[in-house]
Amino acid sequence: MSHPFTRTLKLKVRTEAYGWLSAAAVEVNQVFNFCNEASWLAATRTDLKRKWLSGFDLCNLTSGAARYFERIGADTIQRVCTEYAQKRTAAKRRKLRWRVSRGARRSLGWVPFKAASLKRRGKALRFCGKTFRVFETHRLDGVKWKQGCFAQDAVGDWWLCLPVEYPAEPGVALKESVGIDLGLKDIAVTSDGERLECGRFYRGLEANIAQAQRRGHRRQAKRLCRRAARRRADALHKFSRRVVNQYQYIVVGDVSSQKLVKTRMAKAVLDSGWGMLKRLLQYKGEHAGRSVAVVSERNTTRDCSCCSAPTGPTGQDNLVVRHWRCPECGTEHDRDVNSAQNILRVGLRKRASVCGNGSSPDIIPLEPDTCVRARDGQGWWRTAA
Ligand SMILES: [Zn+2]
């Protein structure tokens, strides 16, 4: 149960190092592109020597190359080789896209390294013979890293990214279970009525972004988009943390495509919010020893959570109906809270049907019409409909 879990510390690098990092990123691109070419050539040979080059092979091919580079060292070259091989394997291709160092289609800078090459020196850091300063250095106190990277974002700022492992701390939550409905107006609503508003991440920024784009201030526009994305990530982190701290069993509704019709917001924005929230609930839940299940949200808006009569609003036409009263039992409902309660019911029913005899509450039964995630010891798995 107690997997350590990984969180990436991101610290902003002070601007004086940007020039050096950008130059180092060009060297990284050269190594990456060499890997790309070498593995393409090896994979397309027509004789018996044809093979898929592994990260190990690429490390061998590039050994000793460090002396031809001004900035990056052997460990960065090795990291690039192994990362390249992993990416190529994941993409199932013989070749990846080239990393571009100049021009409008430039790749965002990336300089990976191994643990030993980044050293703490008081308030500063040493890397490849260069002294770096980052903001919020205190966050590195007592932290042990295995490897990491310097990464550039779309705005052009550089960040020091360090994946750090924390031990799992399973505990017991105060409340038993919760259902979560993912929606448009609010990204998420719990069966207890707690809401995560959607619009507020962009509120006040939309107009500014549009204005910056109109005036051709691309950097400013990107900066504002980054601010909105951060606000959203921050809100999702806080919301998921609250939920995981409070509840032992968490049931999330799987979003149907119907919900995406009739919205002015970009689908990608909603998608990424929902996806991120599910991911956060899953890894935080796993870390805290909670069970998280994803169930089909079919009919959860239509049915009354009190008497289960199908008296609620149906179809897209009734998307505007936020409150309604059930004619069967007379209960007043908030549309989203009602569906969250129904999602919770579906989840509880599922759990009851497997762990009636005291078996693990982590295992959730699979039914052909639902998507369920459960833990099998290695991680999360999913069965599609
Ligand atoms: Zn009713």
Side-chain angles (χ1 to χ4, degrees):
M1 253 321 246
S2 52
H3 302 278
F5 88 128
T6 311
R7 242 169 83 182
T8 303
L9 272 181
K10 275 182 96 182
L11 302 176
K12 197 171 181 186
V13 179
R14 289 185 183 262
T15 42
E16 67 251 19
Y18 283 14
W20 191 93
L21 283 169
S22 299
V26 173
E27 296 181 355
V28 166
N29 292 350
Q30 285 164 356
V31 175
F32 185 95
N33 290 341
F34 167 80
C35 292
N36 206 14
E37 180 156 28
S39 68
W40 163 258
L41 288 175
T44 53
R45 286 174 78 120
T46 48
D47 56 11
L48 289 172
K49 285 180 180 167
R50 177 159 76 182
K51 71 176 285 195
W52 291 102
L53 294 184
S54 65
F56 183 74
D57 296 329
L58 289 166
C59 284
N60 277 340
L61 281 174
T62 54
S63 76
R67 84 183 95 120
Y68 300 105
F69 289 108
E70 219 176 294
R71 292 169 185 87
I72 60 173
D75 73 304
T76 295
I77 294 174
Q78 285 170 16
R79 279 286 320 275
V80 175
C81 291
T82 45
E83 293 271 326
Y84 171 81
Q86 275 172 17
K87 274 190 193 165
R88 195 208 52 210
T89 310
K92 294 187 180 140
R93 293 210 182 146
R94 289 184 291 192
K95 202 176 182 180
L96 296 176
R97 202 185 307 176
W98 302 103
R99 284 188 70 84
V100 185
S101 297
R102 278 174 192 84
R105 299 189 57 232
R106 204 171 59 86
S107 317
L108 296 180
W110 170 62
V111 181
F113 54 80
K114 292 184 187 172
S117 57
L118 185 77
K119 291 260 174 11
R120 184 97 185 256
R121 287 277 182 280
K123 293 210 161 195
L125 295 159
R126 280 297 274 182
F127 174 67
C128 285
K130 172 136 178 84
T131 303
F132 281 86
R133 289 190 307 148
V134 295
F135 291 93
E136 302 178 281
T137 323
H138 62 270
R139 286 170 67 199
L140 293 173
D141 292 344
V143 162
K144 274 214 167 87
W145 52 84
K146 280 188 188 158
Q147 55 182 36
C149 70
F150 290 97
Q152 196 179 26
D153 65 14
V155 176
D157 288 329
W158 281 89
W159 300 81
L160 170 62
C161 306
L162 294 171
V164 178
E165 273 192 1
Y166 294 85
E169 299 158 356
V172 179
L174 285 172
K175 297 186 197 167
E176 180 61 25
S177 52
V178 70
I180 298 175
D181 178 55
L182 304 177
L184 297 175
K185 189 169 154 285
D186 304 297
I187 282 192
V189 178
T190 72
S191 50
D192 288 345
E194 199 180 330
R195 283 160 196 281
L196 177 63
E197 265 182 81
C198 178
R200 89 173 162 216
F201 319 127
Y202 289 97
R203 188 173 300 157
L205 289 177
E206 272 170 334
N208 293 353
I209 292 172
Q211 193 179 48
Q213 277 167 347
R214 220 168 31 241
R215 291 181 179 168
H217 301 165
R218 291 185 49 209
R219 201 176 144 83
Q220 182 64 13
K222 280 180 182 168
R223 202 185 287 277
L224 292 168
C225 287
R226 183 175 74 178
R227 188 184 299 166
R230 278 215 206 121
R231 276 189 199 167
R232 190 182 60 190
D234 184 54
L236 291 173
H237 269 291
K238 284 179 180 155
F239 179 81
S240 56
R241 174 50 60 204
R242 272 204 306 279
V243 168
V244 166
N245 283 348
Q246 284 183 74
Y247 303 97
Q248 191 60 39
Y249 181 51
I250 300 157
V251 189
V252 189
D254 212 10
V255 179
S256 65
S257 51
Q258 267 198 353
K259 273 197 175 169
L260 290 169
V261 187
K262 282 211 167 186
T263 170
R264 278 170 51 227
M265 285 186 76
K267 178 179 176 297
V269 172
L270 289 166
D271 267 353
S272 64
W274 290 332
M276 186 177 173
L277 184 59
K278 281 190 206 169
R279 270 199 312 282
L280 291 176
L281 286 170
Q282 270 162 2
Y283 91 67
K284 288 182 183 176
E286 183 176 15
H287 173 230
R290 309 285 189 260
S291 310
V292 183
V294 181
V295 301
S296 161
E297 60 157 28
R298 200 172 52 186
N299 296 342
T300 50
T301 318
R302 189 196 64 185
D303 294 349
C304 168
S305 59
C306 188
C307 66
S308 31
T311 52
T314 52
Q316 293 146 28
D317 293 337
N318 291 313
L319 213 59
V320 282
V321 179
R322 307 313 309 176
H323 295 273
W324 53 283
R325 170 195 274 271
C326 172
E328 296 286 323
C329 65
T331 319
E332 292 277 354
H333 286 299
D334 175 283
R335 174 203 173 90
D336 299 325
V337 175
N338 177 58
S339 46
Q341 281 165 352
N342 281 325
I343 283 165
L344 174 60
R345 257 195 341 184
V346 176
L348 289 176
R349 211 160 48 222
K350 283 188 176 311
R351 190 172 65 158
S353 67
V354 253
C355 51
N357 295 329
S359 64
S360 164
D362 285 301
I363 302 160
I364 291 142
L366 306 175
E367 282 182 14
D369 66 330
T370 51
C371 277
V372 176
R373 282 166 197 249
R375 262 195 46 185
D376 66 351
Q378 268 90 53
W380 295 90
W381 45 271
R382 177 192 176 99
T383 47

